[in-house]
Amino acid sequence: MNSFEFNKIAAAVLIALLVAMVASLIGEALVSPSKLEKNAYVVDVSAVSAPSSDSEKEKPLASISPLLAKANPANGEIIFKKCKACHTVEKSEPPKMGPNLWGIVMNKIAHAADYAYSAVIKEKGGQWDYENLNHFLHKPREFAPGTKMTFIGIASDQDRADLIAFLRQKADTPAPLP
């Protein structure tokens, strides 16, 4: 390529840049937005207030036992769809990101031999009784601070009871209700 061809390419690039710059300047001159004096939509936050003392903190979690008597396992199966991304629940299924939950109710915590639990869960000890499952499903990171489980939890008491009733059925011999 000779120098004349190179000069034509360089000139074309420079002209394109100049045209873009001039168009930008003209656009800024024609459209000059002004800031609003006040927000177009005002959010009323007066009804929301932060707790002012320790007495206003969250009340302790109620026992799940009374709700288990009227729990709906079919609804629990629907709620379990949130869990399916990380957990399996059938007997022969391998673990996913989380352990397989077959036979979890009344089983020991960190029961699956083929899953690498976080140190916090391994050290927790005990068993997945109804109350431990209730607390864990409510807020996993409060039950076991440092757990690998990133799920935020289930706020509804009845939804947790339904899910526990569904998980209870997923065992060779379902655990007795409390």
Side-chain angles (χ1 to χ4, degrees), residues 23-168:
S24 174
L25 291 173
I26 292 172
E28 286 178 12
L30 292 175
V31 179
S32 55
S34 59
K35 293 189 177 196
L36 298 175
E37 291 178 19
K38 62 179 186 171
N39 289 337
Y41 182 77
V42 180
V43 178
D44 181 22
V45 291
S46 62
V48 178
S49 63
S52 59
S53 68
D54 292 339
S55 64
E56 293 182 18
K57 282 187 177 177
E58 194 175 308
K59 60 183 178 180
L61 195 59
S63 175
I64 200 74
S65 297
L67 295 173
L68 284 171
K70 61 178 181 174
N72 180 359
N75 187 43
E77 185 173 7
I78 293 168
I79 295 166
F80 185 76
K81 289 180 182 178
K82 296 176 186 178
C83 311
K84 274 190 167 186
C86 299
H87 294 280
T88 55
V89 75
E90 296 304 324
K91 188 174 186 175
S92 60
E93 291 180 310
K96 289 184 177 179
M97 189 181 298
N100 182 307
L101 301 179
W102 175 264
I104 192 162
V105 177
M106 303 309 276
N107 205 336
K108 67 178 184 171
I109 294 177
H111 70 284
D114 59 346
Y115 184 75
Y117 291 96
S118 61
V120 174
I121 294 293
K122 286 180 188 176
E123 294 167 2
K124 191 75 175 169
Q127 69 178 20
W128 286 120
D129 60 18
Y130 294 107
E131 293 307 321
N132 279 341
L133 281 170
N134 182 37
H135 287 280
F136 187 72
L137 292 172
H138 180 248
K139 291 187 179 175
R141 295 190 179 243
E142 281 185 13
F143 180 82
T147 181
K148 293 191 290 186
M149 188 160 154
T150 58
F151 184 63
I152 195 165
I154 300 171
S156 167
D157 293 341
Q158 190 60 55
D159 285 352
R160 285 194 311 277
D162 292 346
L163 179 58
I164 292 170
F166 169 72
L167 291 173
R168 178 183 163 269

